[in-house]
Amino acid sequence: MTSRMVGGLIASLLVCFTTALHAKALVVGFSQIGAESAWRTAETESVKSAAKERGVDLKFSDAQGKQENQIKALRSFIAQKVDAIILAPVVETGWEPVLKEVKRAKIPVVLLDRGIKVSDPTLYTTLISPDFVNEGREVARMLAEKTKGTAKIVELQGTPGSAPALDRKKGFDEGIKAFPNMQIIKSQTGNFNRAEGKQVMEAFLKSEGKNINAVYAHNDDMALGAIQAIEEAGLKPGTDIVIYSIDAVKSAFEAMIAGKLNGTVECTPMLGPKAFEAIDRVRAGEVLEKWTKQEDKNFPQEIAAAHIASRMY
Ligand code: AHR
């Protein structure tokens, strides 16, 4: 190789190096609801680690369960001129005005795990989520099988106004319609967290006592809280009162193996990679399906031991 060729090679290597140095990382704003459940913490981790793997500059904002904080975060993402936004919306309604501002700033929005109600569907690109109505139906099916269609049920609902609370209720109500001896005798929110699930279950036990023989919790954290309340009341969770929930977090598997929980439906929180794939596709000019539906999986307690080792969250 001549010295001229070596010089040329060094010059082009330098160009590549400088270009790589100055290549702008993709900037993505992520407005997360909070950390109310183990499931949500796993989702946050999934988004953060997917961003790290891809070299994305992630602006993370924890709304502490408040929609007003999410709206503020979206406005701050606009001001920071992010390339895209991932939004896990706490409730279904009230997004139209701020999403119009985001649209005017030409920032694509990917909805993560929960849907919203808007009259203009172009305000977001796609919703990546499971079918919450189906999850409610599946719990009803498992509970009907276990109780042979006879149950006095107490229901621990998720956050009022949130898509999973509304849809899981709808699916469950539909599912038990075919069984005249299955009735919801009490229903109240436990806001998707363990402490409130426990408190509400304590109140249910106080007012209904031995009348209760089944619990339907909209997520595992509330079911785990209810288990504690049932034990403290001197009853056997999983036997005296059967319990079904949704999420399939690791502690739910532990409870199933211990005989305290009778089943759960998986709705995966490992959605980070899918969110960034969606952003890449939108930025490449693709029009995405409005709903990127994720499959659910049922875990009755009988198969928990065979699956616990492979649980990732
Ligand atoms: O939106 C999904 C639900 O939100 C999960 O079931 C629950 O644990 C979470 O907080």
Side-chain angles (χ1 to χ4, degrees):
M1 201 185 273
T2 64
S3 58
R4 211 174 172 178
M5 283 163 84
V6 173
L9 192 64
I10 293 173
S12 40
L13 279 174
L14 266 176
V15 171
C16 289
F17 183 64
T18 331
T19 319
L21 261 187
H22 293 283
K24 207 181 138 283
L26 191 72
V27 183
V28 176
F30 174 29
S31 169
Q32 177 58 294
I33 294 164
E36 73 282 2
S37 64
W39 188 97
R40 190 145 304 282
T41 307
E43 181 185 71
T44 299
E45 278 319 304
S46 171
V47 174
K48 283 185 175 173
S49 67
K52 200 167 170 197
E53 251 167 48
R54 292 169 164 253
V56 169
D57 177 2
L58 189 74
K59 312 276 179 211
F60 176 71
S61 171
D62 178 336
Q64 320 236 316
K66 294 196 176 112
Q67 184 181 33
E68 71 232 48
N69 290 345
Q70 293 204 284
I71 292 173
K72 272 187 209 152
L74 295 192
R75 293 203 167 114
S76 129
F77 295 152
I78 298 174
Q80 292 175 74
K81 297 191 174 19
V82 299
D83 298 307
I85 289 174
I86 300 172
L87 169 65
V90 60
V91 288
E92 280 191 335
T93 55
W95 297 103
E96 204 117 10
V98 70
L99 287 181
K100 279 185 182 154
E101 293 170 38
V102 175
K103 189 179 172 187
R104 273 197 296 277
K106 297 192 172 40
I107 301 172
V109 175
V110 169
L111 296 180
L112 206 60
D113 91 72
R114 293 184 182 184
I116 57 173
K117 295 245 180 300
V118 279
S119 54
D120 174 3
T122 67
L123 291 177
Y124 66 90
T125 56
T126 189
L127 159 66
I128 304 174
S129 88
D131 183 342
F132 295 135
V133 177
N134 186 55
E135 291 170 352
R137 263 189 230 121
E138 283 304 304
V139 172
R141 206 180 52 71
M142 287 198 282
L143 181 60
E145 206 176 294
K146 180 83 181 171
T147 60
K148 300 192 173 49
T150 301
K152 295 246 185 291
I153 310 156
V154 293
E155 179 184 31
L156 292 163
Q157 292 190 37
T159 306
S162 70
L166 295 164
D167 292 351
R168 286 172 181 168
K169 172 150 194 61
K170 184 170 180 246
F172 187 81
D173 288 352
E174 269 175 33
I176 62 167
K177 247 190 206 145
F179 302 93
N181 294 327
M182 289 179 81
Q183 293 133 22
I184 299 180
I185 55 170
K186 285 265 161 171
S187 180
Q188 201 179 309
T189 182
N191 276 315
F192 281 130
N193 73 70
R194 195 185 283 216
E196 284 182 73
K198 180 171 185 264
Q199 266 171 27
V200 175
M201 189 66 213
E202 281 165 356
F204 285 163
L205 285 163
K206 229 180 199 170
S207 67
E208 298 300 321
K210 295 222 163 109
N211 201 16
I212 305 167
N213 67 356
V215 173
Y216 165 39
H218 288 192
N219 83 344
D220 289 340
D221 281 67
M222 292 189 294
L224 294 165
I227 288 173
Q228 260 180 282
I230 294 168
E231 282 180 326
E232 285 172 20
L235 295 166
K236 270 191 157 186
T239 310
D240 295 332
I241 299 180
V242 294
I243 309 169
Y244 285 88
S245 56
I246 297 166
D247 272 1
V249 300
K250 206 162 191 166
S251 357
F253 278 74
E254 285 158 5
M256 286 194 283
I257 293 167
K260 298 178 181 186
L261 179 71
N262 303 89
T264 185
V265 177
E266 176 174 53
C267 109
T268 184
M270 313 311 268
L271 300 173
K274 294 199 171 145
F276 291 108
E277 269 160 39
I279 290 172
D280 287 347
R281 288 175 57 200
V282 171
R283 285 173 53 82
E286 269 184 66
V287 176
L288 306 185
E289 279 182 10
K290 271 295 156 223
W291 187 9
T292 312
K293 191 164 149 185
Q294 307 301 299
E295 288 308 313
D296 296 315
K297 189 168 180 286
N298 293 357
F299 289 98
Q301 70 187 126
E302 293 74 20
I303 64 167
H307 289 272
I308 191 161
S310 59
R311 299 309 298 161
M312 289 165 71
Y313 59 98

